[in-house]
């Protein structure tokens, strides 16, 4: 296996930490540089088990900071980028769209430009991999699925910023032949997920016996994929994906929010020795999210048929592993839910 120097942006976040772990452990000949600003969502505790590995280096840096990016590319002869750094939560994007435009759009452009300059238009053996989301396609009616050809139709400030960054990535490929590849994944779940997103927020609130805030009627549908399977797909696409192309990644695992919350309640009632139905009493319907996309559903057949990836973990097993991880890591949960999380929760949920 050849040696590589790979920059992973956002490697201290939820998905990024699983990607870093997979690359550090699977590819001992690669040097992995985790470049992360450590926003509220970045947490080095996620990487405690691999932080002393010889082929792993953490660099605290902002993707908006071109100088630090340039230094990093030069000093470490970076030849591959896996770009995950982003503001990632739809509800926050409704309150603070500027930050999403800055990080997700301008930050991605700066990273593209630094890679292009550092590689001096000699792109042999180079790769720039941008991680995107199915949310750029907007909402899809029942019975239909997003393919890579589906028209981009983002509805939230978050998905608009991701769609814009996708276009810039494609533009750097079309205009400068930068060797890009891009993937769009459905909703991830698993260990280390920050409890602002549906599944970890519900797990946290069930533990605390706090109300479980379901937006609107709970009829919205998401396709859930275990985060380790997303990391495996990223590994496959980074190594085997065709330059300039887009790959959809999904779990073929659609759930209405309300059904998923009931399932979590029932799993946790058993694990916590509560009587069946006890946690479900906490379900509280709250004011819907503005512009709430009704359904996301991914057709990942291109990735499966051309590159041979498919999910390895069923939803039953993945959800069980996830709940167990939160029950076994109370310190992680209490660290991320103390301090500013309390203000966030108050601000986001008190008037719903
Ligand atoms: P996350 O919010 O958990 O982590 C984001 C990471 O990026 C954090 O470590 C944060 O510190 C870092 N970061 C933010 N701004 C930065 C900046 N300016 N410079 C450097 N680092 C910065 O996000 P996630 O859920 O792990 O998502 C990772 C990527 O995957 C994002 O690009 C997201 O759009 C995409 N994605 C997420 C999902 C999902 O279900 N979570 C699904 C599909 C795609
Ligand atoms: P989320 O995890 O924020 O992911 P996304 O909006 O990017 O799909 O939300 C998943 C679904 O759960 C979405 O339809 C909104 C809904 N939801 C709730 O009903 N209550 C909540 O407290 C949260 C955070 C989300």
């Amino acid at each position: 296996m050849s040696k590589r120097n790979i920059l992973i942006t956002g490697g201290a976040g939820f998905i990024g930490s699983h990607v870093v772990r997979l690359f550090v452990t699977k590819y001992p000949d690669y040097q992995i540089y985790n470049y992360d600003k450590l926003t509220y969502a970045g947490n080095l505790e996620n990487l405690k088990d691999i932080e002393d590995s010889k082929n792993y280096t953490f660099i605290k840096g902002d993707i908006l900071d071109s100088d630090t990016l340039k230094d990093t590319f030069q000093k470490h002869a970076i030849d591959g980028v896996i770009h995950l750094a982003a503001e990632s939560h739809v509800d926050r994007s409704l309150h603070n769209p500027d930050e999403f435009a800055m990080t997700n759009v301008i930050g991605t452009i700066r990273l593209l430009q630094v890679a292009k300059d550092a590689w001096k238009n000699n792109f042999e053996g180079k790769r720039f991999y941008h991680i995107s989301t199915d949310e750029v396609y907007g909402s899809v009616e029942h019975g239909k699925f997003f393919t890579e050809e589906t028209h981009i139709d983002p509805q939230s400030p978050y998905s608009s910023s991701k769609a814009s960054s996708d276009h810039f990535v494609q533009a750097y490929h079309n205009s400068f032949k930068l060797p890009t590849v891009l993937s769009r994944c459905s909703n991830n779940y698993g260990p280390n997920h920050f409890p602002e997103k549906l599944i970890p927020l519900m797990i946290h609130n069930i533990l605390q016996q706090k109300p479980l805030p379901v937006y609107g009627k709970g009829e919205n549908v998401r396709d859930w994929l275990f985060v380790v399977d997303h990391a495996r797909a990223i590994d496959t696409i980074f190594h085997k994906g065709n330059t300039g192309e887009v790959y959809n990644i999904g779990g073929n695992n659609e759930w209405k929010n309300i059904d998923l919350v009931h399932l979590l309640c029932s799993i946790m009632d058993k694990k916590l020795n509560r009587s069946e139905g006890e946690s479900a009493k906490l379900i509280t319907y709250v004011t819907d999210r503005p512009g709430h996309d009704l359904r996301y559903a991914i057709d990942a057949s291109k990735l499966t048929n051309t590159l041979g990836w498919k999910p390895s973990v069923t939803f039953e097993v993945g959800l069980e592993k996830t709940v167990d991880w939160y029950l076994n890591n109370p310190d992680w949960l209490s660290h991320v839910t103390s301090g500013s999380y309390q203000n966030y929760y108050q601000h986001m949920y008190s008037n719903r």
Side-chain angles (χ1 to χ4, degrees), residues 10-13 16-22 24 34 43-53 56 58 192 332:
S17 60
H18 288 274
V19 176
V20 166
R21 176 175 301 100
L22 179 65
V24 165
N34 171 11
N43 184 351
L44 291 176
E45 272 188 63
N46 294 347
L47 291 164
K48 272 246 158 294
D49 55 326
I50 59 103
E51 69 185 3
D52 294 329
S53 306
Y56 171 73
F58 173 67
N192 310 100
W332 185 95

Side-chain angles (χ1 to χ4, degrees), residues 10 12-16 35-39 41-42 61-64 84-88 103 131-133 158 162 185-188 193 197 230:
F14 166 47
I15 301 170
Y35 186 94
D36 197 300
K37 181 182 170 184
L38 299 183
T39 66
D62 189 332
I63 53 167
L64 286 161
L84 297 113
E87 288 295 333
S88 68
T103 298
I131 308 300
S132 189
T133 164
Y158 164 63
K162 290 297 289 186
C185 190
S186 61
N187 286 60
N188 286 213
H193 206 181
K197 308 277 169 58
H230 189 190

Side-chain angles (χ1 to χ4, degrees), residues 88-91 133-135 158 187-188 193 195-202 212-216 218 220-222 224 257 261 286 288-289 292-294 296 344-345 349 352:
S88 68
H89 189 36
V90 173
D91 291 330
T133 164
D134 63 354
E135 303 193 24
Y158 164 63
N187 286 60
N188 286 213
H193 206 181
E196 63 187 353
K197 308 277 169 58
L198 180 73
I199 290 181
L201 185 141
M202 293 299 166
L212 308 178
V214 172
Y215 297 168
N220 304 66
V221 174
R222 298 293 184 262
W224 295 95
N257 292 340
V261 173
V286 300
D288 208 353
R289 174 188 279 172
H292 195 173
D293 287 333
L294 183 59
Y296 301 143
Y344 164 81
Y345 201 87
Y349 290 91
R352 277 205 117 101

Side-chain angles (χ1 to χ4, degrees), residues 45-283:
E45 272 188 63
N46 294 347
L47 291 164
K48 272 246 158 294
D49 55 326
I50 59 103
E51 69 185 3
D52 294 329
S53 306
K54 277 203 295 241
N55 63 338
Y56 171 73
T57 308
F58 173 67
I59 298 165
K60 188 171 187 318
D62 189 332
I63 53 167
L64 286 161
D65 177 357
S66 301
D67 291 338
T68 305
L69 280 176
K70 275 182 208 157
D71 287 349
T72 304
F73 269 71
Q74 261 166 23
K75 194 164 158 205
H76 303 296
I78 298 299
D79 56 24
V81 175
I82 304 179
H83 175 38
L84 297 113
E87 288 295 333
S88 68
H89 189 36
V90 173
D91 291 330
R92 289 187 194 253
S93 80
L94 296 163
H95 290 264
N96 204 354
D98 306 28
E99 209 172 343
F100 282 68
M102 283 309 293
T103 298
N104 298 0
V105 186
I106 307 296
T108 300
I109 297 171
R110 293 204 178 141
L111 184 59
L112 285 162
Q113 187 62 33
V114 168
K116 174 180 172 290
D117 290 346
W119 294 339
K120 300 191 171 58
N121 296 319
N122 176 3
F123 298 139
E124 184 72 32
K126 309 292 196 296
R127 171 138 279 195
F128 188 110
Y129 182 0
H130 177 63
I131 308 300
S132 189
T133 164
D134 63 354
E135 303 193 24
V136 301
Y137 297 122
S139 189
V140 64
E141 60 194 77
H142 287 279
K144 294 196 173 163
F145 294 87
F146 301 132
T147 72
E148 290 79 1
E149 277 71 49
T150 300
H151 186 66
I152 302 293
D153 189 20
Q155 302 294 315
S156 74
Y158 164 63
S159 54
S160 302
S161 67
K162 290 297 289 186
S164 174
S165 64
D166 288 12
H167 286 310
F168 275 98
V169 171
Q170 300 291 61
Y172 268 68
H173 177 67
N174 295 331
S175 309
F176 310 119
K177 303 283 177 281
L178 192 76
T180 61
V181 67
L182 192 161
S183 60
R184 299 188 176 125
C185 190
S186 61
N187 286 60
N188 286 213
Y189 71 97
N192 310 100
H193 206 181
F194 192 81
E196 63 187 353
K197 308 277 169 58
L198 180 73
I199 290 181
L201 185 141
M202 293 299 166
I203 292 174
H204 179 238
N205 285 15
I206 293 170
L207 273 170
Q208 304 268 314
Q209 297 188 287
K210 280 172 56 178
L212 308 178
V214 172
Y215 297 168
K217 295 184 179 145
E219 297 279 315
N220 304 66
V221 174
R222 298 293 184 262
D223 167 13
W224 295 95
L225 180 70
F226 192 55
V227 62
V228 174
D229 278 329
H230 189 190
R232 287 177 51 252
I234 289 173
D235 177 20
T236 302
I237 294 166
F238 180 79
H239 289 98
K240 299 203 260 171
N242 283 336
T243 299
E245 290 200 16
V246 174
Y247 293 87
N248 282 350
I249 309 171
N252 205 8
N253 176 41
E254 289 179 46
W255 283 82
K256 264 188 202 173
N257 292 340
I258 187 62
D259 295 340
L260 176 48
V261 173
H262 273 289
L263 177 60
L264 274 173
C265 288
S266 136
I267 292 174
M268 290 192 63
D269 280 345
K270 287 197 193 81
K271 296 213 180 262
L272 298 169
N273 291 322
R274 292 181 186 161
S275 54
E276 177 67 33
E278 195 179 326
S279 299
K281 287 186 200 143
L282 299 167
I283 292 174

